[in-house]
Amino acid sequence: MDTARTHFISDVGVMLGRSMRHILRSMDTIITVTIMPIAFMLLFVYVFGGAIQTGTDNYVNYLLPGILLIAIASGIAYTAYRLFIDMQRGIFERFHSMPIAHSAPLWGHVLTSLVSNAISAVVIILVALLMGFRSSAGVLSWLAVAGILALFTLALTWIAVIAGLSAKTVDGAGAFSYPLIFLPFISSAFVPTESMPPVVRAFAENQPVTSIVEAIRSLLAGQPVGNDIWVALAWCLGILIVAYLFAMRIYNRKAA
Amino acid sequence: MQNQAIQVKGLQKSYKDLHVLKGVDFVVGRGSIFALLGTNGAGKTTIVKILTTLLKQDGGNAAVNGFDVASRPDSVRQSISLTGQFAAVDEILTGRENLIMIARLRHLTHPRQVADNLLSRFGLTDAADRRVSTYSGGMRRRLDIAMSLVGTPQLIFLDEPTSGLDPEARLEVWKTVKELAQNGTTVFLTTQYLDEAEQLADRIAILHEGTIIANGTLAELKKMFPPARVEYVEKQPTLEEIFLAIIGKKETK
Ligand SMILES: Nc1ncnc2c1ncn2[C@@H]1O[C@H](COP(=O)(O)OP(=O)(O)OP(=O)(O)O)[C@@H](O)[C@H]1O
Ligand SMILES: [Mg+2]
């Protein structure tokens, strides 16, 4: 009992090492999670960008927050997938019959999601810098951006955990992420909401992605963030807590 | 009492309306090899899961190394190791990485050393740095069992350790199991193969329709078979015949 508690951190560390290896050894994970959002960024900046009026002189600056959210939304689909595979194969049973904390394998997946999404976010930001992204944000603002992105990742990760634990098929495990990947498109991530028809606009302005995008954009531009950051935090925390409670209930029921 | 590695009394388990275990009783002595024999769907895996704390029983008691599985699962897990029916190996990692991972989770001081020793013991040294997805069924099973030996647990559960293996790989697994017992490890194994139980086990219990219908040494089980037969050459009944005879008797009742 005691060893399970005292070694919790190192056990989760072992689990993290395991799934990070999985990620590094599967090319399609890396491609989807970093190259696809980068391709979107190139497409929007160099193909559509000229036709989009955002009121800013640098469209990469405008676009980057949304691209980061898309990357996270597609990244967490793999968390659901990896969790599903672990539940299917016997490896979770082996872990659960060992003297380690019952939740360590699950936290391993959650932490992996956080770390891998952080890596892809850094890669995407570096590419954006090459494409002309510039920020006047100070250290504190960058920390705030990192914090919001981490919370957003965690919130979506716990949704992914629910999907991974309750899916019946491999495809089902990842399917939940499609609407999430789509959400940034119906937000102020790519075009200002003012250009949208009223119904779409009402949706866009009141869904979580818009406030998150606006908060990050203001922070990166060194402008006052206003209310957006609180709305964004409330969304992220709210989703995080509800999804976490649900996921833990399913986990404790499924993996007795 | 302290000489019993496993004590099971009146164990019951249902999945919805399917009453799988209807009061199972047996004990397993420390340091022995115990074989639980049963056909497909008899409930062997269900018993293994309850004893390894993966599943909760509906009724009855089960104690492993003196600890109740329901109330002291953490203590039970300290001294056991499970090789489930389906290989519980990480396909994407190499054989060596799999073993090191388990050694780390068991908080051993020299994970690499432990992995190297087990790799050579199980003839996997050459394949050590290949991904497990490239292994044959026999290699995978050997790795699976090797992973269960990390940290030398006192009691090992092997759920159908040889199903799906070719005869040669099967013999290898048998050899491993015998070596384990020689070193004092208690082995609880399930099997559908009578010859496997005959080959390996000190005691054999037959699980049929939710209860243990026979339990004893091979010699004792052979005595249960009516020997009244007139034949030119005396023929020892095989376990298979004993099994069929017992089931036959039950079903005609
Ligand atoms: N999670 C479950 N939900 C519903 N029924 C189950 C579940 N697990 C097992 N069963 C049923 O319980 C019965 C016993 O299953 P169990 O896996 O314990 O048998 P077994 O003896 O291990 O069989 P096999 O030799 O095929 O592995 C079977 O009829 C099986 O279909
Ligand atoms: Mg089984």
Side-chain angles (χ1 to χ4, degrees), chain B residues 44-45 85 159-160:
Chain B
K44 303 182 294 295
T45 299
Q85 185 167 358
D159 194 359
E160 298 194 24

Side-chain angles (χ1 to χ4, degrees), chain A residues 30-31 33-46 58-61 63-64 67-68 71 118-134 142:
Chain A
I30 297 172
I31 290 175
V33 174
T34 50
I35 306 204
M36 191 198 74
I38 289 171
F40 266 129
M41 190 155 67
L42 292 169
L43 187 71
F44 270 88
V45 171
Y46 296 120
N58 184 333
Y59 186 55
V60 187
N61 283 3
L63 189 69
L64 183 62
I67 293 291
L68 291 172
I119 294 172
S120 60
V122 169
V123 172
I124 291 167
I125 291 171
L126 291 177
V127 174
L129 279 171
L130 291 178
M131 292 170 63
F133 163 69
R134 292 296 175 265
W142 273 106

Side-chain angles (χ1 to χ4, degrees), chain A residues 97-184:
Chain A
S97 68
M98 289 176 66
I100 58 175
H102 188 67
S103 61
L106 185 58
W107 279 104
H109 280 287
V110 171
L111 205 59
T112 302
S113 172
L114 206 54
V115 171
S116 63
N117 278 301
I119 294 172
S120 60
V122 169
V123 172
I124 291 167
I125 291 171
L126 291 177
V127 174
L129 279 171
L130 291 178
M131 292 170 63
F133 163 69
R134 292 296 175 265
S135 166
S136 55
V139 176
L140 275 182
S141 299
W142 273 106
L143 282 179
V145 170
I148 295 173
L149 288 177
L151 266 184
F152 181 72
T153 306
L154 280 176
L156 294 199
T157 298
W158 284 105
I159 294 179
V161 169
I162 297 174
L165 289 174
S166 31
K168 299 272 183 289
T169 63
V170 183
D171 295 332
F176 79 99
S177 68
Y178 300 140
L180 296 178
I181 296 172
F182 208 65
L183 271 188

Side-chain angles (χ1 to χ4, degrees), chain A residues 3 7 11 18 22 25 94, chain B residues 78 88 90 97 107 144 148:
Chain A
T3 57
H7 293 287
D11 292 346
R18 164 175 181 256
H22 285 193
R25 285 174 196 179
R94 182 186 287 284
Chain B
Q78 297 286 347
D90 188 314
E97 286 168 340
H107 316 115
D144 199 24
S148 295

Side-chain angles (χ1 to χ4, degrees), chain B residues 15 18 20 39-46 85 160 192:
Chain B
Y15 298 105
L18 185 66
V20 180
T39 46
N40 272 136
K44 303 182 294 295
T45 299
T46 304
Q85 185 167 358
E160 298 194 24
Q192 300 187 31

